[in-house]
Amino acid sequence: MRIILLGPPGAGKGTLAGLIKEKSGVVHVSTGDMLREEMKSGSGLGQEVKNFVESGGLVPDEVITKILENRLTRKDEVAKGYMLDGFPRTQPQAEVLDAILEKINQPIDFAFYMEASLPVIIQRLTGRRICRQCGAIFHMTNMPPKEEGKCDECGGEIYQRADDAEETIRKRMDVYLASTTPVIDYYEKQGKLKKVNADKGTEELLNFLLKALDEYNESNQDKISTRD
Ligand code: AMP
């Protein structure tokens, strides 16, 4: 099962992917996480992308598509399926992704579009905190850590992403509207888009996605048995 999670920053893609991973073991591939790892390691690539990431701009298509291609064509757990979060963010990225997946004969099954409104996005992102060590996500109001500044999961230090400052969030939203909206049409035209209102709580979204996955599995099962 290969799914794309689409939606504005703050729609809850990372949170949802974390929960699905817990429930079903499907791997979470996040290009934002990969870039932050590179920045943390201080690699040449990390230094190259730092300004784009911290200012809320987009890393150039050629750079990010190369990183993603390396990840998706590795013969490890991604071969069994994944949830792709943060990619594609432009139509050229969507086209390159299709080309990569066609080469390895592993097309995307569907794109899950999480629509959210600006006030909800700002509330979620300004309060978001992340564990530096294990990546667990918290929220100062909705899901605060038990002990201030410390991760419930691993005791690691909790921090706020530089691009979660309110001004940068607005810039990320502008970038999203200008660059990523065409990606939604792209998957709609392919008949692969499933839309949901992401202003709802996480529990409701999780149930919706798990149900969509079940329905998808059942209908594919039918196709397999009809072919047999
Ligand atoms: P995210 O964690 O998905 O919010 O991504 C954080 C930042 O990483 C974005 O604001 C971009 O600067 C960069 N980034 C992540 N994925 C992509 C992508 N597919 N294309 C370009 N830039 C990206």
Side-chain angles (χ1 to χ4, degrees):
M1 169 82 49
R2 287 169 294 276
I3 306 166
I4 295 177
L5 296 176
L6 281 178
K13 304 184 291 295
T15 307
L16 193 65
L19 292 170
I20 305 258
K21 189 174 169 209
E22 245 172 55
K23 294 221 179 256
S24 63
V26 180
V27 183
H28 175 203
V29 176
S30 154
T31 45
D33 284 350
M34 287 188 229
L35 293 170
R36 283 183 289 275
E37 279 300 313
E38 290 292 340
M39 285 158 55
K40 194 166 134 192
S41 75
S43 67
L45 177 61
Q47 286 166 23
E48 189 185 332
V49 299
K50 190 174 189 298
N51 278 344
F52 296 109
V53 174
E54 292 193 340
S55 67
L58 288 187
V59 170
D61 285 343
E62 320 77 74
V63 177
I64 193 76
T65 43
K66 198 75 228 153
I67 297 175
L68 190 77
E69 178 164 17
N70 288 339
R71 181 71 193 94
L72 295 188
T73 51
R74 247 189 265 158
K75 290 200 170 50
D76 59 12
E77 78 277 5
V78 294
K80 290 193 224 127
Y82 45 81
M83 285 167 289
L84 194 50
D85 161 13
F87 192 100
R89 262 179 156 93
T90 64
Q91 181 155 337
Q93 289 182 13
E95 287 164 4
V96 172
L97 179 64
D98 273 348
I100 296 169
L101 297 182
E102 198 176 316
K103 257 196 285 178
I104 53 176
N105 200 19
Q106 291 183 355
I108 284 298
D109 293 308
F110 63 83
F112 188 67
Y113 170 36
M114 299 165 65
E115 255 184 320
S117 60
L118 191 58
V120 172
I121 290 171
I122 292 187
Q123 193 271 350
R124 283 187 187 156
L125 292 185
T126 48
R128 178 164 72 176
R129 300 291 184 275
I130 298 174
C131 172
R132 220 179 261 293
Q133 208 159 287
C134 73
I137 303 173
F138 298 89
H139 190 280
M140 294 318 283
T141 323
N142 311 350
M143 212 190 355
K146 291 194 187 95
E147 199 181 323
E148 206 188 314
K150 247 189 177 184
C151 175
D152 293 353
E153 311 288 326
C154 72
E157 184 206 349
I158 288 177
Y159 80 109
Q160 180 175 30
R161 277 170 47 174
D163 57 346
D164 278 347
E166 186 159 341
E167 206 176 302
T168 317
I169 295 169
R170 289 186 189 276
K171 166 150 187 219
R172 286 161 66 202
M173 269 311 285
D174 290 344
V175 169
Y176 169 79
L177 290 173
S179 310
T180 313
T181 320
V183 178
I184 294 159
D185 296 341
Y186 182 86
Y187 289 107
E188 180 129 56
K189 281 191 194 124
Q190 290 192 359
K192 291 189 172 175
L193 200 74
K194 286 188 193 294
K195 212 193 247 189
V196 68
N197 175 359
D199 284 352
K200 292 181 189 168
T202 313
E203 192 70 18
E204 231 175 304
L205 282 178
L206 179 65
N207 289 336
F208 184 91
L209 186 50
L210 289 174
K211 195 163 153 251
L213 291 180
D214 278 348
E215 281 168 8
Y216 180 87
N217 282 334
E218 269 166 32
S219 70
N220 270 0
Q221 215 45 51
D222 289 349
K223 274 185 215 149
I224 294 165
S225 17
T226 334
R227 270 206 307 268
D228 287 348

